[in-house]
mmCIF file of all heavy atoms in Angstrom:
data_model
loop_
_atom_site.group_PDB
_atom_site.id
_atom_site.type_symbol
_atom_site.label_atom_id
_atom_site.label_comp_id
_atom_site.label_asym_id
_atom_site.label_seq_id
_atom_site.Cartn_x
_atom_site.Cartn_y
_atom_site.Cartn_z
ATOM 1 N N PRO A 22 -18.342 39.555 -17.983
ATOM 2 C CA PRO A 22 -17.708 38.397 -17.390
ATOM 3 C C PRO A 22 -17.243 37.404 -18.438
ATOM 4 O O PRO A 22 -17.812 37.379 -19.491
ATOM 5 C CB PRO A 22 -18.858 37.770 -16.540
ATOM 6 C CG PRO A 22 -20.096 38.283 -17.139
ATOM 7 C CD PRO A 22 -19.791 39.605 -17.753
ATOM 8 N N VAL A 23 -16.197 36.672 -18.134
ATOM 9 C CA VAL A 23 -15.645 35.757 -19.109
ATOM 10 C C VAL A 23 -15.520 34.341 -18.446
ATOM 11 O O VAL A 23 -14.916 34.201 -17.326
ATOM 12 C CB VAL A 23 -14.248 36.196 -19.570
ATOM 13 C CG1 VAL A 23 -13.624 35.158 -20.552
ATOM 14 C CG2 VAL A 23 -14.368 37.588 -20.210
ATOM 15 N N ASN A 24 -16.063 33.345 -19.129
ATOM 16 C CA ASN A 24 -16.003 31.941 -18.679
ATOM 17 C C ASN A 24 -14.654 31.385 -19.084
ATOM 18 O O ASN A 24 -14.215 31.606 -20.247
ATOM 19 C CB ASN A 24 -17.099 31.148 -19.288
ATOM 20 C CG ASN A 24 -18.474 31.508 -18.781
ATOM 21 O OD1 ASN A 24 -18.655 31.955 -17.660
ATOM 22 N ND2 ASN A 24 -19.488 31.359 -19.633
ATOM 23 N N LEU A 25 -14.036 30.583 -18.181
ATOM 24 C CA LEU A 25 -12.864 29.807 -18.541
ATOM 25 C C LEU A 25 -13.222 28.345 -18.411
ATOM 26 O O LEU A 25 -13.597 27.912 -17.350
ATOM 27 C CB LEU A 25 -11.718 30.134 -17.609
ATOM 28 C CG LEU A 25 -11.153 31.589 -17.590
ATOM 29 C CD1 LEU A 25 -10.026 31.693 -16.593
ATOM 30 C CD2 LEU A 25 -10.724 31.981 -18.970
ATOM 31 N N GLY A 26 -13.134 27.622 -19.534
ATOM 32 C CA GLY A 26 -13.438 26.220 -19.508
ATOM 33 C C GLY A 26 -12.697 25.488 -20.622
ATOM 34 O O GLY A 26 -12.025 26.097 -21.431
ATOM 35 N N SER A 27 -12.862 24.200 -20.657
ATOM 36 C CA SER A 27 -12.175 23.376 -21.686
ATOM 37 C C SER A 27 -13.013 23.203 -22.927
ATOM 38 O O SER A 27 -12.428 22.825 -23.965
ATOM 39 C CB SER A 27 -11.864 22.028 -21.072
ATOM 40 O OG SER A 27 -13.066 21.341 -20.781
ATOM 41 N N GLY A 28 -14.313 23.342 -22.816
ATOM 42 C CA GLY A 28 -15.159 23.112 -23.991
ATOM 43 C C GLY A 28 -15.493 21.617 -24.123
ATOM 44 O O GLY A 28 -16.158 21.232 -25.111
ATOM 45 N N MET A 29 -14.995 20.793 -23.260
ATOM 46 C CA MET A 29 -15.223 19.337 -23.342
ATOM 47 C C MET A 29 -16.176 18.911 -22.199
ATOM 48 O O MET A 29 -15.926 19.193 -21.044
ATOM 49 C CB MET A 29 -13.893 18.605 -23.223
ATOM 50 C CG MET A 29 -13.890 17.156 -23.655
ATOM 51 S SD MET A 29 -14.443 15.931 -22.444
ATOM 52 C CE MET A 29 -13.383 16.118 -21.135
ATOM 53 N N GLU A 30 -17.234 18.235 -22.595
ATOM 54 C CA GLU A 30 -18.219 17.756 -21.609
ATOM 55 C C GLU A 30 -18.200 16.288 -21.544
ATOM 56 O O GLU A 30 -18.069 15.604 -22.611
ATOM 57 C CB GLU A 30 -19.624 18.270 -22.118
ATOM 58 C CG GLU A 30 -20.769 18.031 -21.209
ATOM 59 C CD GLU A 30 -22.005 18.735 -21.737
ATOM 60 O OE1 GLU A 30 -22.059 19.160 -22.879
ATOM 61 O OE2 GLU A 30 -22.978 18.797 -20.977
ATOM 62 N N ILE A 31 -18.335 15.723 -20.352
ATOM 63 C CA ILE A 31 -18.279 14.286 -20.158
ATOM 64 C C ILE A 31 -19.314 13.852 -19.118
ATOM 65 O O ILE A 31 -19.500 14.602 -18.144
ATOM 66 C CB ILE A 31 -16.880 13.838 -19.744
ATOM 67 C CG1 ILE A 31 -16.707 12.295 -19.704
ATOM 68 C CG2 ILE A 31 -16.405 14.428 -18.446
ATOM 69 C CD1 ILE A 31 -15.302 11.766 -19.557
ATOM 70 N N SER A 32 -19.921 12.713 -19.307
ATOM 71 C CA SER A 32 -20.855 12.239 -18.249
ATOM 72 C C SER A 32 -20.031 11.731 -17.066
ATOM 73 O O SER A 32 -18.885 11.310 -17.210
ATOM 74 C CB SER A 32 -21.765 11.133 -18.812
ATOM 75 O OG SER A 32 -20.999 9.903 -18.922
ATOM 76 N N ILE A 33 -20.655 11.793 -15.919
ATOM 77 C CA ILE A 33 -19.941 11.316 -14.689
ATOM 78 C C ILE A 33 -19.690 9.768 -14.884
ATOM 79 O O ILE A 33 -18.596 9.329 -14.498
ATOM 80 C CB ILE A 33 -20.814 11.585 -13.472
ATOM 81 C CG1 ILE A 33 -21.019 13.105 -13.242
ATOM 82 C CG2 ILE A 33 -20.217 10.954 -12.233
ATOM 83 C CD1 ILE A 33 -19.726 13.934 -13.065
ATOM 84 N N ARG A 34 -20.579 9.093 -15.482
ATOM 85 C CA ARG A 34 -20.340 7.625 -15.710
ATOM 86 C C ARG A 34 -19.096 7.411 -16.560
ATOM 87 O O ARG A 34 -18.218 6.626 -16.235
ATOM 88 C CB ARG A 34 -21.570 6.978 -16.395
ATOM 89 C CG ARG A 34 -21.424 5.499 -16.652
ATOM 90 C CD ARG A 34 -22.711 4.891 -17.176
ATOM 91 N NE ARG A 34 -23.846 5.170 -16.300
ATOM 92 C CZ ARG A 34 -24.158 4.444 -15.217
ATOM 93 N NH1 ARG A 34 -23.415 3.404 -14.932
ATOM 94 N NH2 ARG A 34 -25.189 4.731 -14.473
ATOM 95 N N ASP A 35 -18.973 8.174 -17.703
ATOM 96 C CA ASP A 35 -17.773 8.001 -18.511
ATOM 97 C C ASP A 35 -16.519 8.500 -17.803
ATOM 98 O O ASP A 35 -15.460 7.919 -18.000
ATOM 99 C CB ASP A 35 -17.993 8.747 -19.829
ATOM 100 C CG ASP A 35 -19.037 8.101 -20.752
ATOM 101 O OD1 ASP A 35 -19.382 6.944 -20.593
ATOM 102 O OD2 ASP A 35 -19.469 8.804 -21.675
ATOM 103 N N LEU A 36 -16.626 9.523 -17.010
ATOM 104 C CA LEU A 36 -15.512 10.031 -16.194
ATOM 105 C C LEU A 36 -15.006 8.934 -15.290
ATOM 106 O O LEU A 36 -13.789 8.674 -15.227
ATOM 107 C CB LEU A 36 -15.941 11.273 -15.469
ATOM 108 C CG LEU A 36 -14.921 11.804 -14.444
ATOM 109 C CD1 LEU A 36 -13.684 12.338 -15.153
ATOM 110 C CD2 LEU A 36 -15.508 12.885 -13.582
ATOM 111 N N VAL A 37 -15.898 8.308 -14.523
ATOM 112 C CA VAL A 37 -15.487 7.298 -13.592
ATOM 113 C C VAL A 37 -14.872 6.110 -14.322
ATOM 114 O O VAL A 37 -13.814 5.620 -13.825
ATOM 115 C CB VAL A 37 -16.709 6.851 -12.723
ATOM 116 C CG1 VAL A 37 -16.382 5.623 -11.850
ATOM 117 C CG2 VAL A 37 -17.178 7.969 -11.863
ATOM 118 N N GLU A 38 -15.404 5.693 -15.422
ATOM 119 C CA GLU A 38 -14.819 4.622 -16.201
ATOM 120 C C GLU A 38 -13.462 4.985 -16.689
ATOM 121 O O GLU A 38 -12.533 4.157 -16.688
ATOM 122 C CB GLU A 38 -15.729 4.242 -17.361
ATOM 123 C CG GLU A 38 -17.025 3.528 -16.890
ATOM 124 C CD GLU A 38 -17.997 3.301 -18.046
ATOM 125 O OE1 GLU A 38 -17.653 3.584 -19.198
ATOM 126 O OE2 GLU A 38 -19.128 2.866 -17.744
ATOM 127 N N LEU A 39 -13.265 6.227 -17.128
ATOM 128 C CA LEU A 39 -11.952 6.633 -17.641
ATOM 129 C C LEU A 39 -10.932 6.696 -16.508
ATOM 130 O O LEU A 39 -9.820 6.221 -16.673
ATOM 131 C CB LEU A 39 -12.099 8.063 -18.269
ATOM 132 C CG LEU A 39 -10.838 8.692 -18.803
ATOM 133 C CD1 LEU A 39 -10.150 7.780 -19.841
ATOM 134 C CD2 LEU A 39 -11.108 10.061 -19.339
ATOM 135 N N ILE A 40 -11.329 7.211 -15.323
ATOM 136 C CA ILE A 40 -10.386 7.269 -14.205
ATOM 137 C C ILE A 40 -10.054 5.857 -13.765
ATOM 138 O O ILE A 40 -8.845 5.551 -13.487
ATOM 139 C CB ILE A 40 -10.965 8.100 -13.072
ATOM 140 C CG1 ILE A 40 -10.989 9.574 -13.452
ATOM 141 C CG2 ILE A 40 -10.122 7.867 -11.764
ATOM 142 C CD1 ILE A 40 -11.687 10.507 -12.446
ATOM 143 N N ALA A 41 -11.063 4.959 -13.713
ATOM 144 C CA ALA A 41 -10.777 3.551 -13.364
ATOM 145 C C ALA A 41 -9.705 2.950 -14.307
ATOM 146 O O ALA A 41 -8.762 2.329 -13.859
ATOM 147 C CB ALA A 41 -12.069 2.719 -13.350
ATOM 148 N N ASP A 42 -9.909 3.232 -15.602
ATOM 149 C CA ASP A 42 -8.958 2.661 -16.590
ATOM 150 C C ASP A 42 -7.568 3.246 -16.397
ATOM 151 O O ASP A 42 -6.577 2.535 -16.409
ATOM 152 C CB ASP A 42 -9.491 3.018 -17.990
ATOM 153 C CG ASP A 42 -8.628 2.414 -19.098
ATOM 154 O OD1 ASP A 42 -8.353 1.201 -19.065
ATOM 155 O OD2 ASP A 42 -8.173 3.171 -19.960
ATOM 156 N N LEU A 43 -7.513 4.570 -16.231
ATOM 157 C CA LEU A 43 -6.178 5.211 -16.077
ATOM 158 C C LEU A 43 -5.452 4.834 -14.789
ATOM 159 O O LEU A 43 -4.241 4.891 -14.748
ATOM 160 C CB LEU A 43 -6.359 6.738 -16.140
ATOM 161 C CG LEU A 43 -6.767 7.268 -17.538
ATOM 162 C CD1 LEU A 43 -7.056 8.774 -17.416
ATOM 163 C CD2 LEU A 43 -5.734 7.016 -18.606
ATOM 164 N N THR A 44 -6.185 4.472 -13.779
ATOM 165 C CA THR A 44 -5.564 4.078 -12.517
ATOM 166 C C THR A 44 -5.308 2.539 -12.460
ATOM 167 O O THR A 44 -4.665 2.099 -11.500
ATOM 168 C CB THR A 44 -6.436 4.436 -11.280
ATOM 169 O OG1 THR A 44 -7.702 3.801 -11.401
ATOM 170 C CG2 THR A 44 -6.622 5.920 -11.151
ATOM 171 N N GLY A 45 -5.802 1.864 -13.419
ATOM 172 C CA GLY A 45 -5.616 0.382 -13.382
ATOM 173 C C GLY A 45 -6.596 -0.357 -12.494
ATOM 174 O O GLY A 45 -6.415 -1.526 -12.227
ATOM 175 N N PHE A 46 -7.650 0.307 -12.060
ATOM 176 C CA PHE A 46 -8.669 -0.370 -11.292
ATOM 177 C C PHE A 46 -9.578 -1.143 -12.225
ATOM 178 O O PHE A 46 -10.167 -0.619 -13.141
ATOM 179 C CB PHE A 46 -9.566 0.630 -10.505
ATOM 180 C CG PHE A 46 -10.674 0.010 -9.759
ATOM 181 C CD1 PHE A 46 -10.470 -0.882 -8.714
ATOM 182 C CD2 PHE A 46 -11.987 0.286 -10.137
ATOM 183 C CE1 PHE A 46 -11.538 -1.475 -8.060
ATOM 184 C CE2 PHE A 46 -13.052 -0.305 -9.493
ATOM 185 C CZ PHE A 46 -12.829 -1.201 -8.485
ATOM 186 N N GLU A 47 -9.707 -2.451 -11.957
ATOM 187 C CA GLU A 47 -10.443 -3.336 -12.870
ATOM 188 C C GLU A 47 -11.755 -3.868 -12.304
ATOM 189 O O GLU A 47 -12.471 -4.602 -12.936
ATOM 190 C CB GLU A 47 -9.595 -4.550 -13.268
ATOM 191 C CG GLU A 47 -8.382 -4.080 -14.057
ATOM 192 C CD GLU A 47 -7.409 -5.253 -14.388
ATOM 193 O OE1 GLU A 47 -7.665 -6.388 -13.971
ATOM 194 O OE2 GLU A 47 -6.454 -4.974 -15.168
ATOM 195 N N GLY A 48 -12.163 -3.319 -11.141
ATOM 196 C CA GLY A 48 -13.369 -3.797 -10.512
ATOM 197 C C GLY A 48 -14.590 -3.079 -11.100
ATOM 198 O O GLY A 48 -14.526 -2.360 -12.078
ATOM 199 N N GLU A 49 -15.714 -3.334 -10.480
ATOM 200 C CA GLU A 49 -17.008 -2.733 -10.947
ATOM 201 C C GLU A 49 -17.251 -1.404 -10.258
ATOM 202 O O GLU A 49 -16.675 -1.103 -9.182
ATOM 203 C CB GLU A 49 -18.150 -3.723 -10.570
ATOM 204 C CG GLU A 49 -18.076 -5.072 -11.226
ATOM 205 C CD GLU A 49 -18.227 -4.965 -12.729
ATOM 206 O OE1 GLU A 49 -19.077 -4.164 -13.209
ATOM 207 O OE2 GLU A 49 -17.450 -5.624 -13.425
ATOM 208 N N VAL A 50 -18.101 -0.614 -10.841
ATOM 209 C CA VAL A 50 -18.551 0.648 -10.227
ATOM 210 C C VAL A 50 -20.012 0.425 -9.799
ATOM 211 O O VAL A 50 -20.816 0.066 -10.666
ATOM 212 C CB VAL A 50 -18.419 1.801 -11.209
ATOM 213 C CG1 VAL A 50 -18.968 3.067 -10.613
ATOM 214 C CG2 VAL A 50 -17.002 1.972 -11.613
ATOM 215 N N GLU A 51 -20.271 0.600 -8.540
ATOM 216 C CA GLU A 51 -21.636 0.519 -8.023
ATOM 217 C C GLU A 51 -22.155 1.959 -7.871
ATOM 218 O O GLU A 51 -21.454 2.776 -7.238
ATOM 219 C CB GLU A 51 -21.652 -0.235 -6.700
ATOM 220 C CG GLU A 51 -21.225 -1.673 -6.852
ATOM 221 C CD GLU A 51 -21.119 -2.407 -5.509
ATOM 222 O OE1 GLU A 51 -21.301 -1.774 -4.430
ATOM 223 O OE2 GLU A 51 -20.796 -3.632 -5.524
ATOM 224 N N TRP A 52 -23.286 2.257 -8.397
ATOM 225 C CA TRP A 52 -23.839 3.592 -8.323
ATOM 226 C C TRP A 52 -24.853 3.688 -7.170
ATOM 227 O O TRP A 52 -25.833 2.942 -7.155
ATOM 228 C CB TRP A 52 -24.524 3.901 -9.688
ATOM 229 C CG TRP A 52 -23.466 4.016 -10.750
ATOM 230 C CD1 TRP A 52 -23.066 3.015 -11.594
ATOM 231 C CD2 TRP A 52 -22.664 5.142 -11.025
ATOM 232 N NE1 TRP A 52 -22.064 3.466 -12.416
ATOM 233 C CE2 TRP A 52 -21.803 4.757 -12.058
ATOM 234 C CE3 TRP A 52 -22.592 6.436 -10.468
ATOM 235 C CZ2 TRP A 52 -20.822 5.637 -12.599
ATOM 236 C CZ3 TRP A 52 -21.666 7.297 -11.036
ATOM 237 C CH2 TRP A 52 -20.781 6.925 -12.055
ATOM 238 N N ASP A 53 -24.568 4.552 -6.241
ATOM 239 C CA ASP A 53 -25.420 4.785 -5.066
ATOM 240 C C ASP A 53 -26.439 5.859 -5.458
ATOM 241 O O ASP A 53 -26.214 7.031 -5.332
ATOM 242 C CB ASP A 53 -24.619 5.264 -3.897
ATOM 243 C CG ASP A 53 -25.420 5.430 -2.628
ATOM 244 O OD1 ASP A 53 -26.702 5.347 -2.719
ATOM 245 O OD2 ASP A 53 -24.847 5.707 -1.584
ATOM 246 N N THR A 54 -27.616 5.399 -5.961
ATOM 247 C CA THR A 54 -28.608 6.331 -6.449
ATOM 248 C C THR A 54 -29.354 7.021 -5.302
ATOM 249 O O THR A 54 -30.198 7.923 -5.582
ATOM 250 C CB THR A 54 -29.622 5.588 -7.374
ATOM 251 O OG1 THR A 54 -30.194 4.497 -6.668
ATOM 252 C CG2 THR A 54 -28.919 5.107 -8.613
ATOM 253 N N SER A 55 -29.052 6.667 -4.051
ATOM 254 C CA SER A 55 -29.620 7.426 -2.949
ATOM 255 C C SER A 55 -28.915 8.745 -2.778
ATOM 256 O O SER A 55 -29.408 9.643 -2.109
ATOM 257 C CB SER A 55 -29.571 6.624 -1.647
ATOM 258 O OG SER A 55 -28.232 6.536 -1.173
ATOM 259 N N LYS A 56 -27.767 8.913 -3.396
ATOM 260 C CA LYS A 56 -26.966 10.157 -3.312
ATOM 261 C C LYS A 56 -27.397 11.010 -4.499
ATOM 262 O O LYS A 56 -27.775 10.517 -5.557
ATOM 263 C CB LYS A 56 -25.445 9.886 -3.362
ATOM 264 C CG LYS A 56 -24.966 8.977 -2.265
ATOM 265 C CD LYS A 56 -25.058 9.678 -0.942
ATOM 266 C CE LYS A 56 -24.377 8.765 0.103
ATOM 267 N NZ LYS A 56 -24.641 9.228 1.445
ATOM 268 N N PRO A 57 -27.250 12.334 -4.338
ATOM 269 C CA PRO A 57 -27.687 13.268 -5.347
ATOM 270 C C PRO A 57 -26.818 13.258 -6.610
ATOM 271 O O PRO A 57 -25.632 13.027 -6.558
ATOM 272 C CB PRO A 57 -27.669 14.607 -4.684
ATOM 273 C CG PRO A 57 -26.591 14.466 -3.649
ATOM 274 C CD PRO A 57 -26.704 13.035 -3.169
#
């Protein structure tokens, strides 16, 4: 079997911040820790 991936790993926190920046959203991110 062969894996196809980018080789780049990112935390969900950093991902959300990056998407917020790229979309122009300037608000806060609230983390719902009751979710998995």
